[in-house]
Amino acid sequence: MKVSRFFAAVLAAVAAVSCKSQYDIVLNSSDVNLKYDAAMAYFNEGKYYKAAALFESLSVLTNGTERDDTVQYYWGLSNYRYKDFYTAETNFDRFVTNFPRSPFASEARFLRIDCLYRQTLRYELDQTPTHMALNAISEYLREFPGNDHTGDCAVMVNELNGRLDRKAYEAAKLYYKMEDYIASRVAFKNILKDDADNIYREDILYYIAKSSYKYASLSVREKQKERYLTFMDDYLNFVGELPESPYRRELDVLYARAQKALGKYTGSEDLLKVDDRTLEKELKSTEKASGK
């Protein structure tokens, strides 16, 4: 929708006399109808920054009137379309508090969630915004079950939970890279204790077994038996759950080595002949194939 010819002509005439732009005239006007029509016109023309400023100014004039919720909603929507998600989130948060029964309430609630989602950070950074977004989504789905945005919310939840899973996984993996194998095993086990459905579960179980093997193999002889037995438990736990895992080959070799160290190996000598360099190449190939 374009600003009407008459409306534009009036503004142009006033602007010519006052040396002010049409927009400045409307912004400083106290004429509610003039400002409202202009704000809607700018919004429909995609001039969201100007529309937002007009709706913000208009909100003072329409406070407590029948247009109040419409003006407040479009103020937030203008900021949202302008991609000022921080301000838009504040707008929508205030809106759902002040106008819980408005026809715009459900959509405003979802748009607030979308603003929170768009303000989340990559997994390496602080995940407080991620938790805020997840909490807001959970509350929204409880209040508006089966709404048109349920699918959108599911996509957001999957991505945000995946981000949290990755952060926890990478933090534990850092201990492994630092060769602190006790801390590594504990950190990986704690991940599954807190979140058994972590999307990196296979990798986590693998690194639990690897950590216990590394710890045992680097231990003094007197303590190796107990620690190799711990690795064997981790190994059996892994293969019991993931017998077809691409990590199985490497762990089979390590299991054979642990059995030999304990004097219990009765299997093929072929496994014992596989060297660490070969295992490392196979691991890199596995990680490359899985995109890790």
Side-chain angles (χ1 to χ4, degrees), residues 29-139:
S29 172
S30 59
D31 186 324
V32 173
N33 291 329
L34 176 69
K35 186 170 287 190
Y36 182 86
D37 289 343
M40 283 296 187
Y42 280 122
F43 178 87
N44 289 322
E45 290 173 4
K47 299 176 181 178
Y48 301 120
Y49 179 80
K50 289 185 175 181
L54 286 173
F55 282 121
E56 179 179 7
S57 176
L58 189 61
S59 66
V60 178
L61 302 176
T62 57
N63 184 36
T65 70
E66 61 180 10
R67 282 181 173 174
D68 198 1
D69 66 326
T70 301
V71 169
Q72 296 282 349
Y73 175 74
Y74 274 93
W75 178 13
L77 191 58
S78 296
N79 282 318
Y80 177 84
R81 296 280 181 85
Y82 187 64
K83 301 187 186 303
D84 181 357
F85 299 117
Y86 179 83
T87 304
E89 188 274 322
T90 301
N91 290 142
F92 292 130
D93 186 39
R94 184 187 303 117
F95 182 91
V96 297
T97 299
N98 294 337
F99 307 103
R101 298 181 180 179
S102 167
F104 302 115
S106 177
E107 188 66 12
R109 192 75 171 271
F110 172 75
L111 290 173
R112 175 180 177 258
I113 288 171
D114 196 40
C115 289
L116 290 171
Y117 168 75
R118 292 171 185 272
Q119 293 178 73
T120 57
L121 307 172
R122 63 181 188 270
Y123 80 89
E124 302 97 326
L125 302 177
D126 178 32
Q127 292 304 299
T128 299
T130 297
H131 289 291
M132 288 179 61
L134 285 169
N135 289 337
I137 293 171
S138 178
E139 186 177 326

Side-chain angles (χ1 to χ4, degrees), residues 181-244:
Y181 299 118
I182 299 178
S184 171
R185 184 174 183 273
V186 170
F188 280 120
K189 286 182 75 68
N190 282 340
I191 292 175
L192 296 184
K193 182 179 179 181
D194 295 336
D195 177 20
D197 296 323
N198 187 292
I199 61 174
Y200 296 95
R201 182 177 177 86
E202 179 178 4
D203 304 82
I204 290 169
L205 290 171
Y206 163 74
Y207 276 110
I208 287 173
K210 276 291 293 285
S211 296
S212 57
Y213 177 83
K214 290 279 190 178
Y215 183 52
S217 65
L218 295 172
S219 297
V220 296
R221 184 177 297 276
E222 302 85 67
K223 297 186 177 182
Q224 282 187 328
K225 179 179 179 180
E226 178 184 354
R227 293 170 183 176
Y228 274 130
L229 289 174
T230 297
F231 160 70
M232 288 180 172
D233 286 341
D234 292 340
Y235 166 83
L236 293 173
N237 184 48
F238 182 93
V239 298
E241 182 173 327
L242 301 159
E244 304 300 324

